């Protein structure tokens, strides 16, 4: 039989944030995108097409930033963009 202290030590060793990070990447991002799409459709249904266009441009910029953050390729992308300006 394992004592309470040994059980706590065993559980503490197995705790990591890897599965939580994977769940967030797999589930939360698509749910947020679905919510944004529903809001844009709702705004478009009211006839505010210019508002939808403004929000869509902001959404695309946000998705690019999210893609860079999730992929982990930020330094490489930054070096590429800097090379476009510096030659």
């Amino acid at each position: 039989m394992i004592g309470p202290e040994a059980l706590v030590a065993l559980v503490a060793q197995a705790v990591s944030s890897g599965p939580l990070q994977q769940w967030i990447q797999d589930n939360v991002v698509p749910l947020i995108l679905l919510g944004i799409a529903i809001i844009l459709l709702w705004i478009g249904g009211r006839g505010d097409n210019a508002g939808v266009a403004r929000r869509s441009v902001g959404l695309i910029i946000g998705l690019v930033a999210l893609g860079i953050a999730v992929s982990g390729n930020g330094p490489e992308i930054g070096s590429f963009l800097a090379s476009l300006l510096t030659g």
Side-chain angles (χ1 to χ4, degrees):
M1 185 89 182
I2 297 177
E5 295 85 14
L7 183 61
V8 169
L10 180 65
V11 170
Q13 291 175 358
V15 174
S16 73
S17 63
L20 178 61
Q21 290 174 349
Q22 189 62 41
W23 184 87
I24 289 172
Q25 288 178 354
D26 291 343
N27 297 313
V28 172
V29 173
L31 288 174
I32 290 171
L33 294 178
L34 179 63
I36 291 171
I38 290 171
I39 290 170
L40 288 176
L41 287 173
W42 177 60
I43 293 170
R46 293 187 303 169
D48 186 12
N49 293 332
V52 171
R54 277 193 313 270
R55 287 170 181 86
S56 296
V57 169
L59 176 64
I60 290 170
I61 293 170
L63 289 175
V64 167
L66 181 66
I68 291 170
V70 171
S71 71
N73 293 330
E76 291 86 6
I77 294 171
S79 297
F80 171 72
L81 293 175
S83 70
L84 290 177
L85 298 174
T86 60

